[in-house]
Amino acid sequence: MYFSISKKSLFILLILLFFSIGLRGYFASKLPLSGDEVGVGVLQSTGHALSYHVPSTNTPVSELKKFIDYSPDKGIGDILSSLRHGGMHPPFYYILLNTVIKYLNNDAMTLRSLSLVFSVISIALIFFLGRTIHGEQLGLLSAFFLTISPYCLQYSIMVRPYPLLMVLALSSSLLIYQLVNNDKFHFYDLGCHVYILISTIGLYTMYHYIFVIFFQAVFATLSLPKNIKRLVLTGLIYLSIGVLFVPWLPFMKDQMDIIDSGTFYFHWQNNPIMIFVEMVRYNFFRFLLNARPFKLIILLLVLLVLFIGCKHLLLNKKSRFFLIALISYVAAHLFGDWVMQAGTLSFHKFQFFITPVFLFILAFGLVNLPDRYFIKSGLVVFLSVLLICSSISILQEKKNFDGPEIITLYNAKISESLKSDQSSALLIMNTSARRYVLPVVHFFNQPIDIVVANYGDASKLAGNIKHIDQYDHVFVGNLSVDYEPHPQFSLMDMELIENFLGQKQFIYANLLVDNPDGALIQFNKKRANL
């Protein structure tokens, strides 16, 4: 049986799954959506990406929410069109998200719950992958590491495709491992068709999934007996996946033109050594601010356990091919980044496959250590404590990193200023960029309006703001906007705004936010109770 499991292991696995649901649910609770979660994920899924605009006059948040709400007049065709002319990814995840918004709603917890489900499934999948390769002990330790990993905690509740991609990558890897070890493996197997379906969905979710397919193709080619029939069968599987992806190629070409013509965060060079160091830092000592000697000890210890895991993978023929295919995956990804002049493998969000496999190899090294003098037990406890401490640091930060962190701070400060009453407020922003404006729109249900100065020019704001007397508070957000043609307000712009507000009986109240990413200033109407 592919998914047979002892009662003891089933009991432990269920504990891990329920614990992961509670941990991720706690982290997701009351965590607002960040920049790209709303400005890319939700906006693209509603089909409004091409029609998105923020009027230059003050507009209620309730009106702007229409861009991120389900609309009966916006269907799959609108999603495809918006992705083709203003997106970077294939459509599957956005169509799935559109279904959730249509039949449920678009509040943060509902949308995060979809990713949470995928994250929990990944824990079960890595258990079965470990059990298939080396037994239930490896499966349980891999599942435990994935449960408490800060990477998997952080990205498990993100309203982006990464949790889905982890499920697809692990499930298809498990399937291909089982298929090539099946002596009766043929094209008409149900498992073969499921593998083709999962792989195709992966490609229609993110282009980087091609590297996962490459890993599996290398593994399958090396693992199968060297005869023409098996090689033709393997080729037919991957040919089928390619044929199923052909309809999207014209859309992909248009998206590549957008990427080539723009300046994006991922346009830089990879450093393989730093990728490994950052992966260790993020998972094992992100909670340490200083203590450089201790960090070096942790890094060397993880490297040693990883080496032991790789050594034991080489001892078995099938697992040896798994390791060779994994090295091929990293090499192909680095080469693809080099061709595209990008550094995507350096970013945690694109490590949806390499991180769980990294934890899997660490677990493989640990289970193969002798327990003489409690070496194995001690290392398992030590590395587990490091993972837990790093995850606790994420829980304490209580923030998401997919998009401008400054917006989360803006929302918190404005909400704190307005929570004591039902007063109305106006937010003046220097950018209409969707990853800055839409998280504010999604967050607030209070009576707040937004007005944007075109290209950071405050000279026309006075004529664009209508009925300013209706507001009790005015907030001025001066953001440092990367990759967008909206400069910050200059000192002259800020002087114009302050003079205009002064003429309308608003006085300076507080500097709520002041950091390199932007400032937020509060003005209050002159009243006896203010």
Side-chain angles (χ1 to χ4, degrees), residues 31-232:
L31 188 65
L33 299 187
S34 62
D36 285 353
E37 288 182 298
V38 190
V40 177
V42 178
L43 182 64
Q44 291 283 13
S45 68
T46 60
H48 285 109
L50 294 181
S51 59
Y52 166 75
H53 67 280
V54 176
S56 56
T57 58
N58 43 320
T59 306
V61 160
S62 58
E63 286 294 313
L64 297 175
K65 282 182 179 290
K66 294 177 181 178
F67 289 113
I68 52 177
D69 285 338
Y70 172 75
S71 299
D73 59 326
K74 295 289 184 179
I76 292 178
D78 297 287
I79 298 174
L80 299 182
S81 179
S82 67
L83 285 168
R84 181 173 191 169
H85 301 292
M88 298 183 190
H89 301 305
F92 182 81
Y93 176 75
Y94 302 102
I95 294 173
L96 183 63
L97 199 60
N98 175 270
T99 304
V100 172
I101 295 172
K102 177 179 179 179
Y103 292 105
L104 298 175
N105 55 58
N106 73 341
D107 72 77
M109 193 62 193
T110 299
L111 299 181
R112 293 196 187 286
S113 296
L114 178 65
S115 295
L116 189 152
V117 169
F118 292 138
S119 172
V120 173
I121 294 173
S122 294
I123 294 169
L125 288 170
I126 204 168
F127 164 80
F128 284 109
L129 182 63
R131 185 204 63 80
T132 302
I133 292 177
H134 195 68
E136 292 184 350
Q137 186 182 14
L138 174 60
L140 288 173
L141 188 56
S142 300
F144 176 65
F145 280 172
L146 200 63
T147 299
I148 62 174
S149 161
Y151 170 85
C152 297
L153 172 63
Q154 181 105 58
Y155 287 90
S156 65
I157 48 85
M158 192 173 283
V159 186
R160 302 289 275 130
Y162 315 118
L164 169 61
L165 287 162
M166 188 181 291
V167 166
L168 296 172
L170 291 175
S171 60
S172 57
S173 296
L174 175 60
L175 265 174
I176 198 67
Y177 193 93
Q178 293 171 336
L179 285 171
V180 298
N181 284 283
N182 182 0
D183 293 334
K184 298 180 180 180
F185 169 51
H186 57 78
F187 188 73
Y188 300 104
D189 271 343
L190 176 61
C192 183
H193 294 164
V194 172
Y195 172 76
I196 292 173
L197 176 63
I198 292 174
S199 300
T200 304
I201 291 174
L203 278 180
Y204 274 95
T205 301
M206 183 174 282
Y207 297 122
H208 291 78
Y209 197 84
I210 187 67
F211 302 118
V212 177
I213 293 176
F214 180 75
F215 154 80
Q216 294 161 354
V218 170
F219 174 76
T221 303
L222 293 174
S223 299
L224 288 170
K226 300 303 180 287
N227 62 64
I228 297 298
K229 182 179 179 181
R230 287 300 183 100
L231 290 175
V232 170

Side-chain angles (χ1 to χ4, degrees), residues 205-269:
T205 301
M206 183 174 282
Y207 297 122
H208 291 78
Y209 197 84
I210 187 67
F211 302 118
V212 177
I213 293 176
F214 180 75
F215 154 80
Q216 294 161 354
V218 170
F219 174 76
T221 303
L222 293 174
S223 299
L224 288 170
K226 300 303 180 287
N227 62 64
I228 297 298
K229 182 179 179 181
R230 287 300 183 100
L231 290 175
V232 170
L233 176 58
T234 304
L236 186 59
I237 289 172
Y238 292 104
L239 178 63
S240 300
I241 296 169
V243 169
L244 290 171
F245 191 68
V246 166
W248 185 254
L249 290 179
F251 294 76
M252 177 179 171
K253 180 183 180 302
D254 291 340
Q255 290 181 328
M256 291 301 107
D257 291 341
I258 294 172
I259 293 172
D260 290 340
S261 62
T263 303
F264 299 100
Y265 67 91
F266 49 75
H267 280 150
W268 74 345
Q269 295 299 314

Side-chain angles (χ1 to χ4, degrees), residues 350-362:
F350 295 104
Q351 295 172 0
F352 55 86
F353 180 61
I354 196 68
T355 293
V357 173
F358 164 70
L359 295 173
F360 167 81
I361 296 177
L362 283 178

